[in-house]
């Protein structure tokens, strides 16, 4: 709530939903995952994926040649105990993650995600694990789900939520497809993040859907901290007083090998 969600939707949005309550995500009996979240808004993460990552610094971290950079996946690469991509399910030593690339330990090694915008890394257009003839492109799969689930356009969602609608000039590239004024929600949310927030976080429509569902699910869960003890703060040791971050959790878990 106070790290990942704030980074994803912005602190003002998190504060607003916590302090002033949810406006749109409601349930009668049990909380549920709305399709606007699962089929569109929360698939924003597809745009953050980089084609390759430095997963491990190797035996001599200062030497860039010992660092392990690999594509996230490439179906055509041979399988085996240590394939030349980052597919999971293998235990070779170089496949253990050095977290310093992914979280900021203050050592200058952290690398940012790709921005949230309407560009996707090429590897995601050739997904592994799907039978030949099946749709291999993640973008195409997301957009087909938009149709099969009958999702509202981004413009309809913004209107229903009484939020500013993205100016048509920002969707000019969709004119030839006639989707510039009824844009698939997933694409709209990515464009909104790119235009309104320079791709660093979600914009007003995407951010509100993600924030309300994340916080709503916690509020609807009788065992969550928000229900049991909303003022609770983590009690484990942390590097800085009164804050507790993923880096603290990883250190506490003993999984951060010194470089
Ligand atoms: C390498 C990284 C990733 C790959 C290869 C991947 C791939 C996929 C695939 C193949 C689907 C099913 C598509 C369909 O047929 O509808 C999917 C669904 C989904 N993905 Fe990803 N994804 C990745 C990362 C992420 C990230 C980072 C997020 C969010 C932060 C995310 C959120 C979702 C959501 C919410 C769904 C829908 C789940 C559901 O409806 O049950 N994905 N992803």
């Amino acid at each position: 709530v106070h790290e990942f969600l704030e980074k994803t939707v912005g602190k003002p949005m998190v504060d607003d939903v916590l302090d002033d309550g949810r406006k749109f995500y409601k349930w009668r009996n049990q909380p549920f995952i709305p399709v606007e979240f699962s089929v569109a808004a929360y698939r924003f993460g597809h745009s953050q994926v980089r084609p390759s990552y430095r997963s491990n610094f190797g035996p001599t971290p200062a030497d860039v040649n010992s660092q392990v950079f690999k594509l996230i996946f490439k179906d055509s690469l041979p399988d085996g105990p240590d394939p030349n991509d980052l597919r999971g399910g293998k235990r070779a030593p170089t496949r253990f993650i050095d977290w310093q690339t992914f979280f900021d330990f203050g050592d200058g090694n952290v690398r940012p995600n790709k921005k949230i915008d309407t560009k996707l890394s090429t590897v995601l257009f050739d997904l592994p694990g799907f039978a030949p003839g099946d749709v291999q492109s993640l973008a195409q799969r997301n957009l087909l789900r938009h149709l099969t689930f009958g999702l509202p356009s981004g413009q309809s969602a913004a209107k229903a939520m009484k939020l500013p609608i993205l100016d048509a000039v920002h969707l000019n590239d969709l004119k030839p497809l006639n989707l510039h004024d009824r844009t698939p929600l997933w694409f709209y949310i990515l464009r909104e993040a790119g235009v309104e927030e320079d791709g660093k976080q979600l914009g007003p429509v995407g951010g509100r859907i993600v924030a309300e569902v994340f916080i709503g699910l916690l509020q609807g869960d009788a065992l969550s901290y928000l229900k049991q003890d909303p003022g609770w703060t983590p009690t484990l040791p942390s590097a800085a007083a009164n804050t507790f971050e993923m880096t603290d959790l990883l250190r506490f878990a003993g999984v951060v090998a010194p470089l």
Side-chain angles (χ1 to χ4, degrees):
V1 169
H2 294 294
E3 186 172 11
F4 173 76
L5 192 57
E6 285 184 5
K7 284 199 163 104
T8 302
V9 306
K11 183 168 163 48
M13 179 71 81
V14 173
D15 288 347
D16 188 74
V17 176
L18 284 174
D19 297 343
D20 288 347
R22 286 171 279 114
K23 295 194 175 81
F24 308 105
Y25 173 45
K26 309 219 163 109
W27 58 86
R28 202 160 290 149
N29 300 312
Q30 287 248 315
F32 61 99
I33 308 261
V35 286
E36 291 81 357
F37 177 90
S38 63
V39 177
Y42 204 60
R43 296 193 190 204
F44 80 89
H46 292 163
S47 165
Q48 287 182 313
V49 174
R50 285 187 175 281
S52 60
Y53 291 90
R54 172 177 58 194
S55 56
N56 184 297
F57 284 76
T60 44
D63 175 7
V64 283
N65 295 316
S66 98
Q67 301 183 356
V68 180
F69 283 88
K70 287 179 178 170
L71 284 177
I72 51 173
F73 46 68
K74 192 162 174 30
D75 238 359
S76 56
L77 288 172
D79 201 357
D82 191 8
N84 204 19
D85 65 7
L86 294 175
R87 72 187 72 177
K90 317 281 174 177
R91 284 184 65 83
T94 58
R95 303 185 81 76
F96 284 72
I97 300 293
D98 277 330
W99 294 106
Q100 288 88 341
T101 297
F102 302 95
F103 294 96
D104 188 359
F105 288 87
D107 58 2
N109 281 317
V110 70
R111 295 291 177 271
N113 270 323
K114 195 195 136 301
K115 282 186 175 178
I116 309 170
D117 56 23
T118 50
K119 294 195 176 104
L120 286 196
S121 293
T122 315
V123 281
L124 297 178
F125 290 84
D126 188 16
L127 293 169
F130 288 104
D134 208 345
V135 176
Q136 311 282 331
S137 149
L138 189 50
Q140 196 180 344
R141 298 192 73 89
N142 291 342
L143 293 168
L144 285 171
R145 297 276 176 228
H146 174 90
L147 289 179
T148 46
F149 280 87
L151 248 59
S153 66
Q155 287 83 354
S156 302
K159 204 169 154 205
M161 294 162 86
K162 298 193 173 59
L163 290 169
I165 297 174
L166 202 53
D167 197 297
V169 297
H170 299 305
L171 294 160
N172 265 341
D173 51 336
L174 298 187
K175 253 191 178 156
L177 303 168
N178 207 20
L179 291 174
H180 58 293
D181 51 7
R182 47 184 189 102
T183 308
L185 187 57
W186 174 66
F187 187 97
Y188 180 97
I189 282 167
L190 295 182
R191 182 57 57 83
E192 183 192 60
V195 168
E196 302 285 345
E197 301 292 346
D198 189 27
K200 291 182 181 143
Q201 62 166 68
L202 292 172
V205 172
R208 177 145 297 266
I209 296 174
V210 168
E212 291 213 3
V213 174
F214 258 67
I215 292 171
L217 289 175
L218 288 169
Q219 289 169 334
D221 175 355
L223 296 177
S224 81
Y225 89 94
L226 278 184
K227 209 64 190 166
Q228 295 269 329
D229 185 4
W232 177 83
T233 53
T235 51
L236 291 174
S238 61
N242 301 324
T243 87
F244 185 83
E245 300 183 328
M246 269 303 291
T247 45
D248 296 309
L249 186 64
L250 289 164
R251 272 202 207 92
F252 178 77
V255 294
V256 187
L259 295 177

